[in-house]
Amino acid sequence: MSAALEEYCGSIFWRPDPDLPICVEQTVLVWLPLAFLWLCAPWHFANLCKKAAKAPLSKLYICKQVVSGLLFLTAIAELALTLAEDYGPSSDSTAQKHPAVLYTNPVLFAVSWIVVMLCQESVRRRPRAVDSGSLFVFWLLQVLCAIFQFQTLLRDALNKVLNEEIADLPRFCLFYISYGLHCPIYDFLSNSLQNPEARATFLSRITFNWFNSMVIKGYKRPLVQEDMWDLNEKDSSQAICQGFEDIMAIELKKARSSLQKKRNKPKTKDGHQNGLAKGVSQDVLVMKKKEKKDSESEYPNSWLVPTIAKTFKGVLLESAFFKLIQDLLSFASPQLLKLMISFTQDKSSQAWTGYLYAVLLLVVAFLQSVILQQYFQRCFILGMKVRTALMAAVYKKALVVSNDSRKESTAGEIVNLMSADAQRFNDVTNFIHLLWSCPLQIALAIAFLWIELGPSVLAGLLVMVLMVPINGWLATKSRGFQMENMKFKDKRMKIVNDILNGIKVLKYYAWESSFEAQVQEIREQELKVMRKFAYLSSVSTFIFSCAPAIVSLATFAVFVSVSPNNILDAEKAFTSISLFNILRFPLAMLPQLISIMVQTAVSKKRLEKFLSGDDLDTMAIARDDSHSKNSFVSLDIKPGRLVAVVGAVGSGKTSLISALLGELHSLKGRINIKNATLKDNVLFGSDVNEERYRSVVEGCALGPDLDLLPGRDQTEIGEKGINLSGGQKQRVSLARAVYSSADVYLLDDPLSAVDSHVGKHLFERVIGPKGLLKDKTRILVTHGISFLPYVDEIVVLVNGVVSEVGSYDGLRASKGAFSEFLETYGKDESSNIDMLPEGLEPQADGSPEDIVSSTLKRENSLRHSQRHNITEHDKKGQRLIEKEAMETGRVKFSVYLQYLRSMGWCLVTWSFLFYFIQNVAIIGQNLWLSDWTDDSVKYFNTTYPNHIRDTRIGVFGALGVAQGFLVFLGTILLADGSISASRSLHTSLLSNILKVPMVFFDTTPSGRIVNRFAKDIFTVDEMIPMSFRSWILCLLGVLGTLFVICLATPIFTAVVVPMAVIYYFVQRFYVATSRQLRRLDSVSRSPIYSHFGETVSGLSVIRAYGHQQRFLKQNEDTIDQNLKSVYPWIVSNRWLAMRLESLGNLVVFFSALFAVISRDSLNSGLVGLSISYALNVTQTLNWLVRMTSELETNIVAVERVREYAEIKNEAPWITTNRPPDDWPTDGNINFENYKVRYRPELELILHGITCDIQSTEKIGIVGRTGAGKSSLTNCLFRIIEASEGQILVDGIDISTLGLHDLRSRLTIIPQDPVLFSGTLRMNLDPFEKSSDEEIWTVLELAHLKDYVRGLPTGLQHVVSEGGENLSVGQRQLLCLARALLRKSRILILDEATAAVDLETDDLIQNTIRTEFSHCTVLTIAHRLNTILDSSRVMVLDSGKIVEFDSPSVLLNNKQGHFYAMAKDAGIRGGETIFAFLF
């Protein structure tokens, strides 16, 4: 071969010398880059054949083509020169012809430059391509390979004496011209667009240089959301979800059919139950279904993983390819180390080989870094995409899930699916390739070890095999704990959700401590499981810390014991040690991988169960109940008619509406108000038509309300509409329905929560025969009798069955159920309704005078006037929900201290000490090994004494086992510490959240608080302990490595300082950016959950309006906002790793270089030790910064928890001044010059109220909007504190009492009947103070005894989230039962009967009259008729009492406020009779 090449070149081919012969330079070094180009060319040519849109001709492209053209000309010129010299007119025919190489090379080059030009054209045709990686590599190879010829020619030229001419001047010139043309071509950086990645060049992409601008910006100032770049199109949630959903549909279909086959019998529908009412039978059915489902796991499974794999197969395959290359490259370093050690042992070898090995170590390490980072980048992007796809899928499912499936998972559980379970999948996809990569690395390592140590390696292998079953056992155990843990997490989040939704009621009833105890009990169980899990992890940590030491011990011991000729020398020992180091990673990762897989398997089941649940059947109208469905369908409702549906509580009116909701538009009684402006809530995504909008606003009587709101219709409405009164919410919902312009309207009692005159206005202008909807079909469920004469048809429901249908007069005459109904409730109702007198406009509704409205009206104006940069939009609208506060800059050191303090200083110190001694043991073990290898020199050609051999093995083994025990102890102590930290942080957060004033909940979206309890506590529980432990181990590892290298080659200390400086700066740059990106991630994640919460609570409304698409789009946008900070965070990690690994690679290079320089003074054992340590440092350095950042990022959770744990509390629950046990005995209430303002800087809202209310008096409180009715009751409960004056109850000043002493002695029946998930008994008596007999007594008084008796579980009947499995009337009656149970002398009714029908209203009023006759009762009224039998009526106006007397006196005062209000409501005063209109 070499003879042929020598003939081809005309010179010698090879000699062992660093200066390569010219023949090699002209053949191998020319062919190498060209071969690479030709291999890649077909892929480029394939692109040329496609018809694609060409990019416009850029200067860069023209420049590249011109340079390639010039290079082509130099090749032609060279060929012409050779031809001319051999065959030209001036050639010498006798002279020897040029060798073949001078003909073939120019031809090869000429063709190659044409190929390059075509390749560059193909790149231009590729959409969004900037440059080509393959071309870049070709140019780079070309330049590097030509360097050898460059220096050969240059040296020859310089060696010639000045008067001698250069041998071959034309070729000399042509070479340097072409070399000059090579250089600039690959270094063109293109201009960056908004997201620089899209326009980044190949070099910039592999080194992540395009990210520099973000890092620099993040270092100069904290990043904000506006700094985030737009997402690449392929990374946006819409692009991700589309593909995922298509494949999911196919896979789910397959899974369903295989499940069907498994059952071997067709799926039967459950027999229909009779009765539309939300009755017992249905609940039993659901419970039975649930048990059956859980026991047989009857849902399609094993479809989620294939879906993910098929959706993202491109990224998966790419990352697998990179991982494979990287794994193979990692085995090159130990082989180079082996050569390096043999070089230091053999003093006769030439110095240049040592330098060559050092450079090769650097090149291999650099290639490894580049490939590893590309692999990680793809894996993390994949994780991000999987999380996004799952979150969007869960959200979409929640929009269409059937009610049966929905009952199985609460909102809290679904939020957990979106946060914790999707995150688990994100984590596992980062490491998915290790499933095949770990076994591959283990196999390769064993193969190389066999080459080094022969069959002795089997001893080590046996130890590893023995660890597999131990590992398996640990994994199954931990899986059980994980399942348990998730169960407790869900349970805890469910109660926390309940607490946040019913916080006002908890405060009114002073029930906080009961609910706190419930949460704490679950939390303790959760922590118990976490402790077991942590101890189990410590055992596995122990096993895997010992693993490498035991494996190497077994191998070396067997190796030296088998034969006296086997002596452990440095070459064998350190090559083996670096191979064992490679083994350490897959061995340590396998158990982690198994536990991650275990946790993900749990999440997979949960997600599969939820995502494969039944969808809402839009084709069926009513599924529950065949009988009433048929009764209803047999009704002939003609288009454009107004049909009223009436019936008693629980007769199935609302269920009927729900049943019809399959395909009709409706306004539900459960109002859904979003956190947006009032106008947006009305438009609800429809296009704006100002004229129609105005007429709708006017028709729905919203005009006067707009005048009161600070920003008119641009006012921001809080979550769930907290700053609107019940009536305003109803009217906004009605306005939304009217604006949507449907053909059919289902109106579920929209007139209940509004004042009577407003109700009339709405009926006249909107619903009635002359209203805006007069041409539409309207089905109106109503409790008001006064409107019935004006409807076209009345449907009467009794127990879920239609009993009568007909006109008002017809039904009255027929003397059926309707006529009885009228007899009972219509005695006082006038059958002829006076329409509103002309000119009398409805008044604006009283918005709840609680903290919010006032904060809105006054404080916002203050805050806005203080701001200078007020945008136009902000002036128009008022912000209620402030943007979430976000810490910026470095995490304060006090946060770390607080965490360490919560862990316990003693535990922290001891665990650190154990870790430190463990590190000393590692270094000791390696130094011992280095010393051991010197024996091979000492006992060369003599027998190795057995006692020395045994000592060597014994000490080596003892140090190995010691490491394991020390790590085990350190880990156990840290686990105990982290659990006590978790306990104290959660306790302080929970107890503080329950003690903060009501205003906090009104202005903070619940999603934000839930995020603290879900994501942040999850971080404190699981992430921080892990990153803290890793950080300590990494720090000690890095210090140990540097110590060993400096010990071996002291000259290395000179390099340590500059590298430490670079390291510090890179780390600071990175941490500043990364930390802020993580904070942005946290903050942009809250809106995902808030939006989700709003969606779940308003699901029926969204479905009724068919607005699922709009909400899906909004969800996508919210997720995209989050991805904008997640994506740069992923890249920032790669940016850092690339720079740090380069630093680590330099450590390797310098340790090798110094070993070469000082090889005469070093023994081979220390060289091996120092380089094998250096090879390990790259990863440890990288992990150290990663862990520093991870710790700083995760510790933000402690900061966020602490923020909510330090909010200022309301007054103490219990003080030293305790009232007597039977207080209040009489129930006298005295207000003395009582003044209130919400904040010290705001105006008063109650101006010196003074009045005496005697024992057992019944007081009605009325007043127009903003008069201060609700504020008065809030003051009694001290929801708002007095700024002057006092309230005395039975002579005791309430401001001197603890809040619980006060609130537990008063009783309120609030406007919204709030129930909590749990049993019925818990809802009545959470402290379990009352006996069952007492509870049955109050249930009887509240007319619920028969209902509860009928339930299979009686008092233990489980109330679903928000009390959804009870009707509104039943919920209100339960609230009445609560009040009866408290036996308090003072009762406050806050419009308690606004939302119930007349029958329930009657029941409640009668019970109150009889059971509370001995109590002082304060009633805040919307409907004046409810307070006409009061002892006295208090009329409030602008925070002052304007009238306070008996109703008859007030009605006779024709100039009075009360008379005017009664007149508005159509109540006329007389001697004895009041004819109520409503």
Side-chain angles (χ1 to χ4, degrees), residues 479-540:
R479 176 183 184 157
F481 290 148
Q482 201 60 39
M483 294 275 287
E484 231 178 315
N485 204 357
M486 288 306 281
K487 233 185 277 167
F488 289 132
K489 253 192 187 44
D490 282 351
K491 220 165 156 189
R492 177 169 59 84
M493 286 314 299
K494 191 172 169 182
I495 299 187
V496 168
N497 252 332
D498 259 0
I499 288 176
L500 295 177
N501 289 336
I503 187 73
K504 199 164 191 172
V505 171
L506 288 187
K507 286 193 181 299
Y508 279 147
Y509 287 123
W511 278 0
E512 297 101 327
S513 43
S514 158
F515 279 78
E516 184 177 1
Q518 282 183 49
V519 176
Q520 287 292 30
E521 188 187 332
I522 295 171
R523 178 69 177 161
E524 278 309 312
Q525 292 172 305
E526 196 183 336
L527 289 175
K528 207 180 273 173
V529 175
M530 270 169 55
R531 171 169 274 129
K532 287 181 192 166
F533 190 68
Y535 284 177
L536 207 60
S537 307
S538 308
V539 175
S540 64

Side-chain angles (χ1 to χ4, degrees), residues 96 118 154 359 361 377 489 635 745 752 759 837 975 985 1015 1057 1071 1077 1102 1132 1199 1242 1305 1323 1342 1385:
Q96 192 184 353
L118 289 171
L154 192 61
V359 170
L361 269 171
Q377 168 76 347
K489 253 192 187 44
L635 289 172
Y745 285 83
S752 61
L985 286 168
K1015 183 84 172 66
V1057 178
V1071 171
L1077 287 170
I1102 296 166
S1132 71
E1199 187 180 43
L1242 301 178
R1305 310 297 174 88
N1323 267 290
R1385 295 301 304 261

Side-chain angles (χ1 to χ4, degrees), residues 1029-1040:
R1029 192 180 80 201
S1030 305
W1031 180 78
I1032 292 178
L1033 289 171
C1034 286
L1035 178 68
L1036 294 169
V1038 170
L1039 294 175

Side-chain angles (χ1 to χ4, degrees), residues 903-923:
M903 286 177 81
W905 286 109
C906 181
L907 290 172
V908 176
T909 315
W910 273 105
S911 57
F912 184 80
L913 206 61
F914 282 132
Y915 283 143
F916 181 75
I917 303 170
Q918 180 244 356
N919 221 46
V920 172
I922 293 179
I923 294 173

Side-chain angles (χ1 to χ4, degrees), residues 671-675 681 717 720-721 724 729 732-733 736:
I671 301 154
N672 170 234
I673 303 289
K674 287 177 30 209
N675 176 200
N681 266 298
I717 306 303
K720 298 181 186 156
L724 297 178
K729 286 188 224 174
V732 168
S733 288
R736 172 193 298 168

Side-chain angles (χ1 to χ4, degrees), residues 739-857:
Y739 191 85
S740 74
S741 184
D743 296 327
V744 178
Y745 285 83
L746 308 186
L747 306 167
D748 188 356
D749 206 10
L751 307 175
S752 61
V754 296
D755 293 349
S756 47
H757 61 287
V758 177
K760 278 196 330 196
H761 175 93
L762 292 178
F763 189 79
E764 183 186 337
R765 299 283 180 89
V766 180
I767 301 165
K770 297 177 189 160
L772 290 171
L773 302 180
K774 59 179 183 290
D775 303 325
K776 311 281 187 183
T777 307
R778 290 140 294 162
I779 297 172
L780 169 71
V781 170
T782 182
H783 298 131
I785 290 174
S786 49
F787 299 122
L788 296 180
Y790 301 92
V791 303
D792 301 322
E793 202 161 17
I794 297 171
V795 175
V796 184
L797 287 182
V798 178
N799 297 329
V801 180
V802 176
S803 77
E804 294 182 280
V805 181
S807 68
Y808 180 77
D809 296 332
L811 289 177
R812 279 191 79 169
S814 71
K815 297 278 182 256
F818 178 69
S819 139
E820 282 172 36
F821 182 72
L822 279 183
E823 282 303 305
T824 320
Y825 300 110
K827 291 192 190 99
D828 309 317
E829 299 253 349
S830 118
S831 64
N832 74 333
I833 183 173
D834 299 330
M835 285 302 177
L836 276 176
E838 281 307 307
L840 178 60
E841 277 304 309
Q843 294 296 317
D845 225 24
S847 63
E849 283 87 39
D850 53 12
I851 295 84
V852 187
S853 332
S854 197
T855 314
L856 248 192
K857 288 172 198 162

Side-chain angles (χ1 to χ4, degrees), residues 816-993:
F818 178 69
S819 139
E820 282 172 36
F821 182 72
L822 279 183
E823 282 303 305
T824 320
Y825 300 110
K827 291 192 190 99
D828 309 317
E829 299 253 349
S830 118
S831 64
N832 74 333
I833 183 173
D834 299 330
M835 285 302 177
L836 276 176
E838 281 307 307
L840 178 60
E841 277 304 309
Q843 294 296 317
D845 225 24
S847 63
E849 283 87 39
D850 53 12
I851 295 84
V852 187
S853 332
S854 197
T855 314
L856 248 192
K857 288 172 198 162
R858 306 192 180 96
E859 195 194 332
N860 268 328
S861 52
L862 275 177
R863 192 183 311 118
H864 280 290
S865 60
Q866 285 158 7
R867 282 201 200 142
H868 300 298
N869 54 346
I870 305 180
T871 60
E872 193 51 43
H873 180 71
D874 264 357
K875 277 184 189 164
K876 280 178 8 197
Q878 298 281 331
R879 292 212 53 79
L880 172 74
I881 306 287
E882 287 300 320
K883 262 194 163 174
E884 183 161 9
M886 184 178 81
E887 295 284 338
T888 53
R890 292 186 70 161
V891 177
K892 296 185 193 75
F893 190 61
S894 60
V895 179
Y896 292 100
L897 284 180
Q898 187 191 15
Y899 185 70
L900 293 175
R901 210 177 300 123
S902 329
M903 286 177 81
W905 286 109
C906 181
L907 290 172
V908 176
T909 315
W910 273 105
S911 57
F912 184 80
L913 206 61
F914 282 132
Y915 283 143
F916 181 75
I917 303 170
Q918 180 244 356
N919 221 46
V920 172
I922 293 179
I923 294 173
Q925 191 189 26
N926 285 325
L927 287 171
W928 181 262
L929 181 66
S930 164
D931 202 39
W932 183 355
T933 59
D934 293 346
D935 291 355
S936 63
V937 182
K938 206 181 294 177
Y939 297 99
F940 189 62
N941 281 345
T942 59
T943 47
Y944 192 38
N946 282 353
H947 69 280
I948 292 182
R949 183 194 70 195
D950 296 343
T951 311
R952 292 291 190 199
I953 292 172
V955 173
F956 186 80
L959 285 168
V961 175
Q963 291 170 35
F965 273 110
L966 289 161
V967 164
F968 176 64
L969 290 169
T971 310
I972 278 228
L973 290 174
L974 264 188
D976 273 349
S978 56
I979 281 168
S980 76
S982 287
R983 177 183 287 114
S984 74
L985 286 168
H986 180 270
T987 306
S988 63
L989 172 68
L990 178 68
S991 65
N992 200 65
I993 280 290

